[in-house]
Amino acid sequence: MANLRVRVAAGIVSAGVALGVAELLAAFFGADSAPLNALGATVVDHTPDGIREWAISTFGTSDKAVLYACMAVVAVVVAAAAGALERTSRAAGSAILAVFGVVAVFAAVARTSASGALPTIVGVGVGIYALRLLTRRIDATEPQSDVETPSAGGKSTTGTPEKAAATPERRQVLRGLLVVGGLAVVTGVGGRLFGVRRSDVSGERAAVELPQPSAPEVPIAPGADLRVPGLTPYLTANADFYRIDTALVVPQVSKDDWSLRIHGMVDREIRLTWADLANRPAVERLVTLACVSNPVGGDLIGNARWLGYRLDELLAEAGPHPDADMVLSHSADGWTAGTPLSVLTDGRDAILAVGMNGEPLPVVHGYPARLVVPGLYGYVSATKWVTELEVTRFDRATAYWTRRGWSALGPVKTGTRIDTPRPRGRIKQGRTVVAGVSWAQHRGVRTVEVQIDNGPWQPAQLAEEHSIDTWRQWTFDWDATPGPHTLRARTTDGTGEVQSAERRDVVPDGATGYPSVTLQVT
């Protein structure tokens, strides 16, 4: 049993050094070539919609950290099995590590290039060598039964004389475990830190000077932000803005290397660099963005001030063909989104954004450039780290999420959320302010109504509207009476259409239904 524990430890530290060496080499070949990153991205790409949406709704923006934790647990279990099965005369554990290496190589090559396989190949090779070396030392400590040794009187006795010699051999095993384990920590942690430092663009971003907008943005009217306790602020701080994407490793794109290529069904292919953008007029607009994975009453939505360049003007310079109807935008990490060409050219404030709330785009939100399109869910429009706009047709190209069964168009559905009072809370009877936010991007919010239990719908007081592309805050004065109560809210958009009461999941084109809050009044 003692040796089994040692073998398990040998498997774990050997797998650890394999991952550590691969992580160190990935600093030179790109983060996507690291085995865990490549395998994690493959898991993200092939996870069924139901499981993916459950993870987003359960863990929110921590879903990626949870995925890494799950992969770590699986890796430890597999490594432990490899160590337990490995013997000097039977390389079963080595075979397990080799299979892991083959899978990781295919995953890395699929996301990078043939050279992206090298970190995993070298790392797994070192891990197998370490496992073989440790296993030979462990096997040398195994009891040898029926071994004849001469007694003091010159006669042979049968027993296990190696017990005296086992102590130094076991010490050799422990030293080997410590050395390999230490190497795993040094290469893994050091490799990750070195890779981050080598590719990090946060220092560059901090030094970027944003262009001045050609015309000042209309200031936010005081009546647009009600500042009610518990109510979401009208402007969402960059640190609080939701982040939902498929990038396990945040792309680090330098503005000096970045360019935007507009090509496909166009009269003139053009390529814009960061320096080219500096010579163009910039605009600043307030736009509310929403994720299609946002459940009813969820928080995967935010309102920010975006600085950038009008997409309709950029596309006009390329000259889209009359029969084109879609723009397939490409991200630096390979992700794609399909946006109706008509939406990008109908005069709305669709922009190539370089600034967010008065500062350069945060790296996690797309630095140096991303797309912002009012009225569409992010999965069909909000491409971060954008590098290409391919003008094409919906019947010729499909984007990342549409290939997985999601709707191709993705207009934002009318919605609302109750921010205060909180669900399952307890409040005092008497006057209570019910407050929340409502949205219907590019259609505007006309009215918001609140229902107490199963009573009549009553109008809420709306904050001042800044534009039809942003959410609106609202409040409702309620004379709360003792007992349990359920509050509901609904929105009517600028066209007169009432928010759908039908409860539907987010797949395939966004959730519907009325948000509700159940609480106790004392």
Side-chain angles (χ1 to χ4, degrees):
M1 179 60 70
N3 267 9
L4 176 60
R5 289 195 293 268
V6 174
R7 291 184 187 278
V8 166
I12 292 174
V13 298
S14 298
V17 81
L19 293 174
V21 170
E23 189 74 45
L24 181 61
L25 292 176
F28 300 94
F29 291 88
D32 285 337
S33 64
L36 286 183
N37 293 341
L39 290 171
T42 302
V43 170
V44 170
D45 289 345
H46 296 89
T47 299
D49 286 337
I51 296 177
R52 182 187 299 108
E53 294 308 316
W54 171 83
I56 292 174
S57 63
T58 303
F59 304 112
T61 54
S62 300
D63 56 341
K64 296 174 180 61
V66 173
L67 174 58
Y68 272 116
C70 291
M71 288 194 298
V73 171
V74 172
V76 168
V77 171
V78 172
L85 294 173
E86 184 77 1
R87 297 292 186 277
T88 302
S89 60
R90 186 182 73 236
S94 297
I96 291 175
L97 294 184
V99 170
F100 162 81
V102 170
V103 175
V105 162
F106 277 106
V109 169
R111 302 192 68 82
T112 56
S113 61
S115 62
L118 192 58
T120 298
I121 291 173
V122 174
V124 170
V126 173
I128 289 175
Y129 176 79
L131 181 59
R132 296 296 295 162
L133 179 64
L134 291 172
T135 299
R136 283 196 295 271
R137 291 186 177 183
I138 295 171
D139 285 349
T141 68
E142 291 283 358
Q144 301 291 323
S145 58
D146 300 324
V147 176
E148 290 189 353
T149 58
S151 66
K155 295 182 180 180
S156 295
T157 61
T158 300
T160 55
E162 70 285 331
K163 282 187 178 180
T167 298
E169 291 172 352
R170 286 186 180 278
R171 287 175 179 167
Q172 274 195 328
V173 171
L174 293 177
R175 280 197 297 268
L177 290 174
L178 290 174
V179 170
V180 176
L183 183 61
V185 172
V186 170
T187 55
V189 176
R192 174 58 63 95
L193 293 176
F194 177 65
V196 169
R197 182 182 293 267
R198 191 168 185 269
S199 61
D200 184 38
V201 296
S202 58
E204 172 191 288
R205 171 188 172 272
V208 167
E209 292 187 11
L210 291 176
Q212 291 297 316
S214 55
E217 165 66 9
V218 177
I220 300 173
D225 194 350
L226 301 178
R227 301 183 184 276
V228 173
L231 176 61
T232 299
Y234 181 70
L235 272 182
T236 308
N238 290 355
D240 298 330
F241 209 93
Y242 75 92
R243 180 204 163 197
I244 297 293
D245 53 50
T246 62
L248 281 182
V249 179
V250 177
Q252 304 289 320
V253 182
S254 169
K255 65 179 179 58
D256 298 327
D257 300 327
W258 175 88
S259 67
L260 178 68
R261 179 186 174 214
I262 304 177
H263 64 102
M265 298 174 65
V266 295
D267 296 333
R268 297 166 297 279
E269 179 176 322
I270 63 176
R271 185 183 294 271
L272 298 169
T273 64
W274 185 265
D276 293 329
L277 294 180
N279 299 318
R280 307 182 67 90
V283 297
E284 191 171 52
R285 298 290 186 266
L286 279 170
V287 177
T288 297
L289 297 184
C291 180
V292 72
S293 295
N294 196 33
V296 174
D299 60 358
L300 300 182
I301 184 170
N303 188 44
R305 191 188 296 273
W306 307 94
L307 175 71
Y309 307 89
R310 294 192 63 89
L311 285 170
D312 52 5
E313 295 177 358
L314 299 180
L315 290 168
E317 292 182 19
H321 293 173
D323 55 337
D325 63 7
M326 189 251 269
V327 173
L328 188 69
S329 52
H330 297 251
S331 170
D333 68 348
W335 188 83
T336 56
T339 309
L341 177 61
S342 59
V343 169
L344 299 179
T345 56
D346 66 1
R348 74 183 68 194
D349 292 322
I351 62 175
L352 173 71
V354 297
M356 182 179 181
N357 288 332
E359 61 183 71
L361 285 173
V363 177
V364 295
H365 289 297
Y367 176 84
R370 65 169 294 166
L371 301 186
V372 172
V373 182
L376 297 183
Y377 285 121
Y379 82 101
V380 294
S381 65
T383 304
K384 304 173 188 175
W385 315 288
V386 62
T387 58
E388 293 181 44
L389 299 180
E390 179 184 353
V391 181
T392 181
R393 292 181 53 85
F394 280 104
D395 58 7
R396 298 182 187 177
T398 53
Y400 182 93
W401 286 116
T402 51
R403 286 197 301 270
R404 290 159 174 79
W406 291 72
S407 169
L409 302 181
V412 174
K413 296 181 177 179
T414 301
T416 191
R417 185 179 72 211
I418 302 172
D419 285 346
T420 184
R422 303 298 297 171
R424 296 177 296 279
R426 300 177 70 88
I427 63 173
K428 297 293 185 181
Q429 66 176 340
R431 182 182 179 275
T432 299
V433 177
V434 182
V437 289
S438 293
W439 56 89
Q441 290 94 309
H442 209 60
R443 300 183 302 280
V445 172
R446 179 179 295 181
T447 62
V448 173
E449 298 169 288
V450 175
Q451 182 187 53
I452 308 299
D453 299 322
N454 293 315
W457 288 98
Q458 304 175 65
Q461 292 77 46
L462 283 172
E464 187 173 340
E465 183 177 67
H466 179 82
S467 83
I468 61 173
D469 293 332
T470 63
W471 60 16
R472 291 182 76 177
Q473 296 178 337
W474 56 266
T475 61
F476 176 79
D477 290 333
W478 174 39
D479 185 12
T481 57
H485 294 283
T486 298
L487 284 59
R488 299 180 184 86
R490 69 182 183 186
T491 297
T492 300
D493 70 15
T495 69
E497 184 174 348
V498 181
Q499 176 180 345
S500 174
E502 181 184 0
R503 197 80 177 188
R504 290 178 52 193
D505 196 10
V506 298
V507 182
D509 57 1
T512 61
Y514 296 156
S516 64
V517 168
T518 300
L519 48 76
Q520 183 75 29
V521 178
T522 59

